[in-house]
Amino acid sequence: MKFSSKAENILGQINTKTKLGDLRKIAKDIKKDHELAVELWSTEEFFPRLLAILIMDNKQISQDFINELDKDMQTHLLDERTQLMDWFMANQLTKDKKTITLIESWKNSKSALQRRIFWYYQARLRWMGQAPPSNTPELLDKIEADIIKEEPEVQWAMNFTAGWIGIHDKQYRKRCIALGEKTGLYKGEMVSKGCTPDYLPEFITIESDKRNL
C-alpha cells in the first residue's frame, strides 16, 4: 500500500520501541488530522492505530465509523484490541456529549468491545469522584445475572464497575464483595507491585482503605 509523504514521515518515527508518551508527543505536533488518522489506521499496525486515535476529528466519529473501527480491532490479539478500544474511549469517546450518548447505548450491544466500554465508562464515572449515577441498582442486577457468561473483555469491565460501586456506595459494599466471593473471578491472580488485585473482596477493601471510605 502506498502512503502519502506525511504518513510515511510519521510511520518512520514509530517502531517496536515506541512508547505511549512518544505517540502523544507526535500527536501534539500533528494536532487534529482525520484524513491522516484514517491513513494511519489503514496500516493495520498497533502503534500507528493508537496514534490515529489521538488525531481523529471527534465530529466525524459516528456509530457507523465506530463499527468499522471495532471490526478492524478484531484482527488484533485480545490485549491489543482491548487497549485500542480503551484508548479510543479515553481519548475520543468521553470528550463529546454525542459520543458519550453512544457509549450509554451499548449495554446490550452485539459487540463485546462496545459492551466493554459501556461498563468501563460506568466504572470511570465513579472512580473520577463524581456523584454515583442513579442507575447503580440496575447495573448490579445486570452484573449479577450476566458476568459469568460474558466475554472475558466485558467480564473484566463489569467486575471493575462492581468494584467501584462497592468503594463509593457503602450501601452496596457487602453485596459487591459477596459477588466477588460467589464468582471467584480473579481470585489468586498475581499482580504487579503497586497494583490492586481485581478480585472484588481485595479490590474493594484496598481501594476503600486508601480513600478512608
Side-chain angles (χ1 to χ4, degrees):
M1 182 180 294
K2 184 172 176 60
F3 298 106
S4 67
S5 59
K6 185 186 288 188
E8 290 284 6
N9 177 53
I10 297 301
L11 291 170
Q13 300 176 51
I14 302 173
N15 55 54
T16 55
K17 295 182 180 180
T18 300
K19 298 178 181 178
L20 298 184
D22 299 326
L23 296 179
R24 289 195 180 279
K25 289 177 183 177
I26 296 171
K28 187 176 181 180
D29 290 335
I30 299 170
K31 296 183 173 63
K32 188 185 298 181
D33 190 329
H34 198 77
E35 185 176 341
L36 177 59
V38 171
E39 194 172 9
L40 293 175
W41 187 267
S42 73
T43 65
E44 303 181 2
E45 298 293 333
F46 181 57
F47 285 111
R49 284 185 163 179
L50 288 174
L51 176 57
I53 288 169
L54 294 177
I55 62 173
M56 287 175 181
D57 180 357
N58 193 275
K59 292 183 176 60
Q60 298 193 53
I61 296 176
S62 63
Q63 182 65 63
D64 286 343
F65 181 74
I66 292 167
N67 290 344
E68 287 300 316
L69 297 187
D70 187 335
K71 182 180 177 182
D72 291 342
M73 290 177 196
Q74 302 305 320
T75 63
H76 294 264
L77 296 175
L78 178 62
D79 285 351
E80 287 192 356
R81 68 174 179 261
T82 54
Q83 187 171 351
L84 283 165
M85 191 53 120
D86 295 351
W87 184 260
F88 189 37
M89 180 193 80
N91 293 286
Q92 290 290 350
L93 297 178
T94 59
K95 304 298 185 183
D96 188 274
K97 289 181 180 179
K98 176 191 70 175
T99 44
I100 288 174
T101 298
L102 290 178
I103 292 174
E104 292 172 337
S105 73
W106 292 343
K107 181 169 67 173
N108 297 308
S109 172
K110 292 180 180 179
S111 161
L113 285 177
Q114 291 177 42
R115 293 198 305 278
R116 173 188 174 88
I117 294 306
F118 169 84
W119 290 104
Y120 201 169
Y121 179 70
Q122 293 300 320
R124 185 178 186 274
L125 289 175
R126 291 157 173 85
W127 98 62
M128 296 291 284
Q130 300 177 30
S134 60
N135 62 350
T136 295
E138 172 194 342
L139 294 182
L140 282 177
D141 288 346
K142 180 76 170 173
I143 293 170
E144 289 170 339
D146 294 348
I147 191 168
I148 289 299
K149 58 189 178 186
E150 257 295 4
E151 300 292 335
E153 57 266 49
V154 187
Q155 195 173 69
W156 176 87
M158 286 179 131
N159 189 80
F160 195 53
T161 299
W164 285 102
I165 288 173
I167 292 161
H168 285 292
D169 285 1
K170 282 188 177 181
Q171 62 181 313
Y172 300 112
R173 187 169 295 173
K174 288 183 179 179
R175 181 177 174 183
C176 293
I177 289 173
L179 172 66
E181 291 171 341
K182 181 180 178 180
T183 65
L185 287 171
Y186 314 111
K187 185 176 183 179
E189 280 193 353
M190 300 296 292
V191 297
S192 301
K193 186 177 180 180
C195 294
T196 307
D198 288 324
Y199 180 52
L200 286 177
E202 295 176 337
F203 181 81
I204 292 170
T205 300
I206 292 169
E207 295 296 333
S208 298
D209 288 347
K210 283 182 184 177
R211 294 162 176 76
N212 295 314
L213 294 174

